[in-house]
Amino acid sequence: MNKGQWNMITDVADVHVGHVTLYEKLDAEDTICTGVTAILPHGGNLFEQKIPAASFVLNGFGKSVGLVQVEELGLIESPLLLTNTFSVAAVLDGTLDYMLQQNPSIGDSTSSLNIVVGECNDSFLNSMRLRAVKPEHAISAIRNAKHAPFGQGAIGAGKGMICYERKGGIGSSSRIVKRDGESFTVGVLALTNFGNAGECRFTSWQQNPPIEKPDGSVIVVIATDAPLSDRQLKRLAKRAAIGLGRTGTHIHNGSGDIMIAFSTAYTIPHQFSSSIGEAVAFVRDDSKIMNDLFQAAIEATEESVYQSLLHAETTVGRKNRVVEKARFK
C-alpha cells in the first residue's frame, strides 16, 4: 500500500512523538543505556479532549499500566509513554506531574486520571537496576514531542532494546487507505525487543554464541484518522499481531506483546452538558475500507520492525556487551 509523507506514525494528523535518550558508561560493570519515548495523539489537552482507543494483549508478560481503564472505557486521556521495565513508575510519576500542571481540576473538582505507560526489558545492555530514568525525563519527552519526522532505532525508549539478536528499538511506518472517495492514514510506532536470530524470516544472519537475554517484548502503537469506535480499534490492534508474525517471531512465553490503537477522527470532551453524547459516523465493519485498514495496520507494523533495525547502530552496554547493527543482504 502507499506510504505517508514521512512513512511514520506522525503522518496521522496532529500526532506528536518525542524522545529522551540516556547513554553513559559509568564503569566496567555499569552503563546507562535507556530512555523514554512519548506519543501524543494530538497537540491539545488530552484530558479535556479524550480520544477513542483500545488495547490488545497478545502475550501478557508485561508490566504496563493504564490498560485496564482503556479496556473498560475505550478512551485515552494522557500522552502514551514507553520506557524500560523498572522505569514505569518514574515515567508514570513524571507524566502525572505534567498532566496535573496542565489540568488543575484533576483530583480536585473533577475525576482522577488514567496514564498509559508501556515497557520492554533492556537489562542486557542497560544497568536497569540503577533506575536512571527519572520523572523529569518523561516530562522532557512529552515537551520534546513534535508533529514531524523523529528519530528511530537506538533512541528514546529503544536505546537499549534488542530485536532478533541485533540492535532494535524504535521503528515507525504508515500506510494510506483510499477508497470510495475517502482517504485515511494508518501509522504505527513499535518498540522492538523480541525474537531470536533463528526465527527471522527476512534475513539469514546467525548469532554465535546466542545472546543470553530475557525473552523480550514489543509494544505496538497504532494511530489512524479513520472514524473507528473503540471496539473497531481493538479489531485493528489485533491485526498488528499478524504484522509481527510476518517477521518471524514465535511470541515467546516470557514476552510482553501489547498493542494499543487510537483514532484521531473525533474527541470526547471531558466536560459535557448533556447525558447524551454527540453522534459520530463510523466506518462500517463490513465495508471494504475496514479490510483496507486491517491491511494497512499489518503492513505498517511489519515495516516498523524493519525500520527499528535499519536505523539502529551497534551499541555497547553494561559489562561491555555489544549488540551489532543489523546488516541486510
Side-chain angles (χ1 to χ4, degrees), residues 21-27 29-35 84 122 125-133 137 159-160 315-318:
T21 305
L22 305 178
Y23 185 65
E24 180 183 2
K25 185 173 180 59
L26 302 179
D27 52 41
E29 285 291 311
D30 288 318
T31 298
I32 304 304
C33 184
T34 191
N84 74 68
D122 61 10
L125 289 173
N126 175 45
S127 296
M128 199 166 68
R129 288 173 59 90
L130 298 181
R131 294 181 288 174
V133 174
H137 296 131
K159 181 60 182 177
T315 301
V316 181
R318 72 185 186 98

Side-chain angles (χ1 to χ4, degrees), residues 268-279:
I268 297 91
H270 180 71
Q271 303 293 337
F272 57 91
S273 57
S274 170
S275 298
I276 306 299
E278 296 180 2

Side-chain angles (χ1 to χ4, degrees), residues 147-205:
H147 178 63
F150 54 88
Q152 299 182 78
I155 191 171
K159 181 60 182 177
M161 303 302 173
I162 305 168
C163 186
Y164 292 123
E165 298 187 65
R166 292 295 187 271
K167 191 65 194 74
I170 296 291
S172 193
S173 185
S174 68
R175 295 294 186 272
I176 306 298
V177 171
K178 289 188 176 182
R179 187 181 289 271
D180 301 333
E182 301 283 358
S183 179
F184 301 118
T185 301
V186 175
V188 170
L189 183 148
L191 177 62
T192 65
N193 192 53
F194 64 92
N196 296 326
E199 297 174 64
C200 244
R201 297 179 63 89
F202 50 88
T203 191
S204 58
W205 64 59

Side-chain angles (χ1 to χ4, degrees), residues 98-141:
Y98 175 86
M99 294 299 292
L100 290 178
Q101 183 177 17
Q102 189 182 44
N103 299 274
S105 63
I106 294 176
D108 183 14
S109 59
T110 189
S111 62
S112 62
L113 172 69
N114 185 59
I115 294 168
V116 178
V117 183
E119 55 77 32
C120 291
N121 185 338
D122 61 10
S123 61
F124 184 84
L125 289 173
N126 175 45
S127 296
M128 199 166 68
R129 288 173 59 90
L130 298 181
R131 294 181 288 174
V133 174
K134 304 301 181 186
E136 56 264 30
H137 296 131
I139 295 172
S140 294

